[in-house]
Amino acid sequence: MNKKWIALLLTGILALTVLAGCTGGSSQPTLNLYGWADNFDPKMIEKFEKENNVKVNYTYFANNEELLAKIKAGGANYDLIQPSDYMVATMVQQGLLEELNKDNIPNFKHLADKFKNPEYDPDNKHSVTYMSGVTGIAYNKKYIKEVPDSWEDLWNPAYKGKVLLLDDNREVIGMALKKAGKSNSSRDDAEINAAVNDLRKLVPNVLAFDTDSIKQKMIQEEAWIGTLWSGDAAFAAAENPDIAYVVPKEGSTIFSDNFAIPKGAKNKELAEKFINFMMDPQNSATNYEAIGYSNPIAAAKPHHSKEYNENPMINLTDEEMNRTEWLADVGDKIQLYDRLWTELKSGQ
Amino acid sequence: MNKRTFGLVAPVVLWLSLFLIIPMAAVVVVSFMQRDNLGNIIWNFNFDNYARFFDPLYLGIYWDTIWVSLISTVLCLLLSYPLAYYITTVSARAQKLWLIAITIPFWINFLIRTYAWVILLRTQGIVNSLLLDIGLIREPLQLLYTDGAVILGMVYTFIPYMVLPIYVALEQMDKRLLEAASDLGASRWKSFWHITLPQTKTGIMTGSVLVFVTTTGMYVISDILGGAKSQMLSNIIQNQFLGARDWPFGSALSVIFIISSMIIIGLFNRAMRSKYDASREAKA
């Protein structure tokens, strides 16, 4: 055992750490898709790759703010992104999105009317709705005997250490605001402070804050109850039949994830081709069956299974939808949201 | 500097300025700026971001970070020293195998290793199932998403950084000193305390600084194993860049973080050196 050998060993470790970030190149055109985790059926991505002889490089972000930061730092590396409703508006305002060429997306006509011409992007100039859902309460019937109907149920002391919350300050503070009967995008300091003070009482119940793998924590029964997006809840319920879902009576947040193309994207046409492919009624039926979210393509309904068309987590009632509210940009109050969120999570 | 030395040094200088000096300078510059609601940087020089750090909220998180890192470093040291010591006592072949065993985890992606702990520790995980099966517990224990899980993850990840430098120091030690001590009637404990420990101080120091500074900068472990509940300073920095649209404050926190790491390294260096000198003087 000599020193040289050890030096080599240590150098090897360092080299491995550095090289971990490198990936090989390829001559095929590559569509760089930057989206939410588990947002596509991998089989559909494979099908698109085969049909067009391209490679799809699908990477994830955990929340809209992360997406915005990455796009501002150099969005041209991505060809296709998935901003949510209010983020589309913010990005358009900052000139970060290309206009879509609808001639390349003939399947746009299949989109349900209620998703066309949304408030945050009139005429769908820069975006097309990919999926929509609401934030509600998912719970495990094995452990939760009384059916929850209010956000208040998360505060039940019997659920200590068993509650999940989304790792997203707008979602969670918005939830507490809805619980108090206020708007989920309040700009009123007193209302926001009151909502966060209420959340402080919820913290002892919280098992974890999570967005990416919140479904797994429900499926594995690490948590009994938590705030989940409707599609994630449908996905979790398919894996673990004890999981049920409610939209609380106080109302909740509705969201949509959209396709959009960042300014300066290198493969704009390929990105539009991908959008069109995903909006094909047959393709979209296969895709949404796999990911569990509700399909915004009206023409796809006959292609779906009976279970899908009758699943209450996927097909929310009009009455449930009427209780929902979109998140709106809160301007400079985002600083207050962030500060209170940091306080809340660090237990101060 | 003659032409030849210049030719030899130039690539390193270029490398350092491209990947270290320029980005660092950018961080320092941005840390004195403001931002607008959309997160765009406003070029208006001020000290507000630094003043904001002294808010009890951020000072508290800073203190928590130091504390978690300190505990992790001490645990790493307590576990690594006996192991490194043991490795030096076995045959050369066995030493090689031990060192390979310690480095093998580095061949697997760090994130995957961290998620492996989730599978081990969760309520329906391997550890809980085992304990339930042998009847030690009736209800699964909440092992995951606790401060303990975060420290466990830290210690697990950074043990090799501690073992290797201590091993090198032990390996290089002059064994004749121990023979001399035993000839002169010193007990094994006494010769360890007066010879081995001071002789391996450089290894301990290098390992501790490596582990301490890296753990203070770690944010993935507290997210995955801590359930994003306990926040370290790096989580706050990440959030300023990726969540709060506040690059100037994130930059200011980064600058403070770099300076405090440098101070800690400097202090540690000095403490170790003076202690080492003192023990040498005492012997003389």
Side-chain angles (χ1 to χ4, degrees):
Chain A
M1 177 67 48
N2 55 29
K3 270 179 250 164
K4 244 188 209 164
W5 203 82
I6 295 156
L8 200 71
L9 204 74
L10 285 167
T11 320
I13 294 171
L14 291 178
L16 277 175
T17 324
V18 173
L19 289 175
C22 299
T23 46
S26 141
S27 56
Q28 272 177 327
T30 302
L31 177 75
N32 284 304
L33 167 62
Y34 192 41
W36 300 87
D38 304 325
N39 222 347
F40 297 93
D41 180 358
K43 284 192 208 100
M44 293 312 290
I45 291 187
E46 260 171 52
K47 190 178 170 204
F48 180 77
E49 285 178 326
K50 266 194 205 126
E51 279 181 12
N52 298 285
N53 189 28
V54 293
K55 214 187 145 332
V56 176
N57 178 21
Y58 173 27
T59 48
Y60 317 137
F61 55 84
N63 60 56
N64 278 296
E65 302 299 333
E66 185 184 343
L67 169 68
L68 178 67
K70 292 273 173 68
I71 294 303
K72 287 181 72 162
N77 293 323
Y78 302 111
D79 299 311
L80 189 56
I81 54 174
Q82 293 193 293
S84 298
D85 34 274
Y86 76 98
M87 189 48 68
V88 171
T90 306
M91 289 185 152
V92 169
Q93 203 186 333
Q94 298 205 57
L96 296 171
L97 299 181
E98 293 275 357
E99 272 190 38
L100 298 176
N101 181 357
K102 297 282 170 34
D103 295 339
N104 290 335
I105 314 173
N107 286 331
F108 181 74
K109 64 174 183 284
H110 297 308
L111 190 69
D113 284 338
K114 62 176 173 178
F115 294 115
K116 282 182 183 159
N117 191 20
E119 279 170 52
Y120 53 82
D121 183 27
D123 289 333
N124 291 90
K125 248 170 121 174
H126 300 90
S127 70
V128 177
T129 303
Y130 173 65
M131 61 160 62
S132 170
V134 301
T135 311
I137 295 178
Y139 62 101
N140 190 312
K141 286 179 279 189
K142 254 204 267 180
Y143 308 103
I144 308 280
K145 295 298 174 199
E146 285 166 61
V147 177
D149 68 339
S150 158
W151 295 114
E152 182 70 39
D153 289 306
L154 298 175
W155 271 254
N156 187 334
Y159 308 154
K160 192 170 188 312
K162 295 295 174 192
V163 176
L164 289 175
L165 291 179
L166 288 161
D167 193 6
D168 183 318
N169 61 18
R170 292 296 312 278
E171 280 278 4
V172 174
I173 298 174
M175 177 270 281
L177 284 162
K178 290 304 273 189
K179 175 174 175 257
K182 309 284 193 278
S183 158
N184 62 8
S185 305
S186 172
R187 294 190 184 209
D188 182 301
D189 284 16
E191 284 179 13
I192 300 167
N193 274 302
V196 173
N197 282 332
D198 194 15
L199 286 171
R200 284 182 221 276
K201 291 180 214 136
L202 177 59
V203 169
N205 271 10
V206 175
L207 173 73
F209 296 92
D210 193 352
T211 304
D212 299 340
S213 50
I214 194 164
K215 304 186 279 290
Q216 275 73 26
K217 291 189 172 77
M218 281 306 293
I219 296 167
Q220 294 293 336
E221 304 186 3
E222 290 179 76
W224 294 351
I225 187 168
T227 56
L228 258 75
W229 292 320
S230 49
D232 278 3
F235 184 96
E239 299 279 322
N240 183 337
D242 287 321
I243 292 169
Y245 189 72
V246 289
V247 179
K249 62 183 179 198
E250 298 93 344
S252 73
T253 296
I254 180 172
F255 59 86
S256 71
D257 295 338
N258 304 273
F259 280 128
I261 299 176
K263 251 303 176 301
K266 289 183 197 83
N267 298 301
K268 183 166 182 284
E269 270 181 40
L270 187 59
E272 283 161 345
K273 207 174 206 173
F274 186 83
I275 299 173
N276 194 52
F277 173 86
M278 283 296 169
M279 294 180 89
D280 172 80
Q282 177 66 59
N283 286 347
S284 74
T286 317
N287 187 42
Y288 290 92
E289 292 272 346
I291 61 173
Y293 273 88
S294 48
N295 191 343
I297 305 295
K301 206 169 171 88
H303 298 285
H304 275 293
S305 64
K306 189 163 165 275
E307 291 80 25
Y308 182 95
N309 282 332
E310 286 173 1
N311 188 330
M313 294 178 216
I314 294 167
N315 307 285
L316 296 167
T317 64
D318 288 342
E319 187 272 326
E320 284 169 326
M321 294 302 271
N322 288 339
R323 279 184 272 140
T324 59
E325 184 186 358
W326 294 94
L327 283 176
D329 197 83
V330 290
D332 59 356
K333 287 292 175 225
I334 191 72
Q335 266 171 297
L336 181 64
Y337 276 83
D338 174 61
R339 194 202 147 83
L340 294 173
W341 180 243
T342 308
E343 283 182 10
L344 187 71
K345 282 180 61 176
S346 58
Q348 299 190 24
Chain B
M1 192 187 283
N2 64 33
K3 252 189 192 164
R4 211 169 119 215
T5 19
F6 180 78
L8 286 171
V9 174
V12 179
V13 172
L14 189 73
W15 176 274
L16 282 179
S17 40
L18 261 181
F19 295 111
L20 185 74
I21 298 169
I22 295 174
M24 289 287 296
V27 169
V28 173
V29 169
V30 169
S31 73
F32 289 105
M33 298 301 148
Q34 270 180 307
R35 59 95 194 225
D36 67 11
N37 290 336
L38 293 171
N40 299 309
I41 292 158
I42 302 172
W43 302 99
N44 175 19
F45 187 87
N46 69 84
F47 291 96
D48 294 357
N49 298 312
Y50 288 92
R52 209 175 137 195
F53 171 74
F54 292 96
D55 185 308
L57 172 64
Y58 300 107
L59 281 178
I61 291 167
Y62 182 72
W63 174 246
D64 288 347
T65 308
I66 299 283
W67 192 231
V68 167
S69 304
L70 205 64
I71 295 173
S72 306
T73 309
V74 170
L75 286 175
C76 262
L77 182 60
L78 290 177
L79 290 169
S80 302
Y81 202 98
L83 177 62
Y85 194 94
Y86 170 74
I87 295 174
T88 56
T89 62
V90 296
S91 71
R93 217 181 102 78
Q95 289 196 8
K96 242 178 223 176
L97 289 176
W98 269 103
L99 290 184
I100 290 171
I102 287 166
T103 34
I104 277 179
F106 281 98
W107 301 356
I108 304 165
N109 183 292
F110 157 69
L111 272 178
I112 294 173
R113 280 183 284 139
T114 309
Y115 273 110
W117 276 107
V118 173
I119 295 170
L120 284 170
L121 297 178
R122 65 187 176 203
T123 37
Q124 295 190 331
I126 293 166
V127 172
N128 267 317
S129 311
L130 199 72
L131 290 175
L132 284 168
D133 283 350
I134 58 174
L136 266 180
I137 50 170
R138 291 230 184 112
E139 291 283 309
L141 302 171
Q142 189 59 56
L143 303 169
L144 211 49
Y145 316 121
T146 58
D147 288 346
V150 174
I151 289 172
L152 176 78
M154 297 272 195
V155 171
Y156 162 76
T157 307
F158 292 110
I159 269 190
Y161 289 87
M162 189 69 96
V163 172
L164 292 175
I166 294 176
Y167 167 78
V168 172
L170 281 165
E171 193 50 27
Q172 289 173 346
M173 203 179 83
D174 191 345
K175 302 287 188 308
R176 288 173 306 179
L177 289 171
L178 292 174
E179 287 164 20
S182 116
D183 285 349
L184 293 171
S187 67
R188 289 180 74 175
W189 174 246
K190 217 169 178 180
S191 53
F192 173 77
W193 189 253
H194 289 290
I195 298 168
T196 315
L197 208 57
Q199 291 277 321
T200 50
K201 247 169 199 160
T202 27
I204 298 174
M205 185 181 85
T206 317
S208 302
V209 168
L210 263 177
V211 173
F212 185 82
V213 172
T214 338
T215 44
T216 50
M218 182 53 71
Y219 68 89
V220 179
I221 293 177
S222 51
D223 253 11
I224 296 176
L225 298 179
K229 278 191 293 186
S230 52
Q231 302 210 83
M232 310 247 313
L233 192 64
S234 314
N235 298 94
I236 305 293
I237 294 176
Q238 185 217 20
N239 188 45
Q240 293 309 316
F241 281 96
L242 295 183
R245 304 182 197 173
D246 199 343
W247 289 29
F249 184 49
S251 300
L253 288 177
S254 305
V255 171
I256 290 168
F257 184 73
I258 292 164
I259 292 173
S260 74
S261 294
M262 276 157 61
I263 291 174
I264 289 162
I265 294 170
L267 283 178
F268 209 86
N269 255 324
R270 237 173 94 179
M272 278 315 213
R273 203 186 308 133
S274 56
K275 239 186 180 170
Y276 184 66
D277 293 344
S279 73
R280 282 231 307 220
E281 271 161 35
K283 262 188 280 173

